[in-house]
């Protein structure tokens, strides 16, 4: 079987990447940092230590809100998860 990616697949993939990049850029710096740590596989404890100015409950709330905001931005870009 031919495993060469179809140009349309590549097009759809680059379109998706562009949508994700645009949505990611719409996040605030703090949200990007929080979500990046989360998506890189850092534990909650490590993430809490990266934001010593906040109580861990505040960091959890921020993670929750940032994820929802990113989902909203992605939907606005026409991306449905």
């Amino acid at each position: 079987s031919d495993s060469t990616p179809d140009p349309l697949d590549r097009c759809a993939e680059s379109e998706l990447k562009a949508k994700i990049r645009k949505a990611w850029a719409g996040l605030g710096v703090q949200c990007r940092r929080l979500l990046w740590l989360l998506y890189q596989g850092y534990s909650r404890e490590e993430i809490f230590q990266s934001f010593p100015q906040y109580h861990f409950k505040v960091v959890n709330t921020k993670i929750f809100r940032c994820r929802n905001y990113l989902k909203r931005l992605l939907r606005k870009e026409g991306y449905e998860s």
Side-chain angles (χ1 to χ4, degrees):
S1 69
D2 188 10
S3 64
T4 310
D6 175 312
L8 282 176
D9 287 348
R10 249 185 256 133
C11 179
E13 194 179 308
S14 67
E15 221 176 273
L16 177 60
K17 281 180 184 169
K19 286 176 180 182
I20 293 170
R21 266 193 210 104
K22 193 171 177 194
W24 186 256
L27 290 173
V29 175
Q30 199 174 65
C31 270
R32 284 200 299 260
R33 185 165 170 233
L34 265 174
L35 294 180
W36 185 249
L37 289 169
L38 193 66
Y39 297 148
Q40 289 298 302
Y42 286 87
S43 70
R44 290 283 169 134
E45 287 68 33
E46 289 170 310
I47 295 171
F48 299 150
Q49 287 166 12
S50 298
F51 293 87
Q53 70 272 39
Y54 298 117
H55 188 274
F56 77 90
K57 286 181 180 171
V58 174
V59 177
N60 266 335
T61 301
K62 285 179 178 292
I63 289 170
F64 177 78
R65 288 183 179 158
C66 289
R67 282 175 124 169
N68 283 338
Y69 187 50
L70 180 59
K71 283 179 197 166
R72 264 202 322 275
L73 290 171
L74 284 167
R75 275 198 300 270
K76 205 172 109 187
E77 289 303 316
Y79 175 76
E80 293 295 331
S81 55

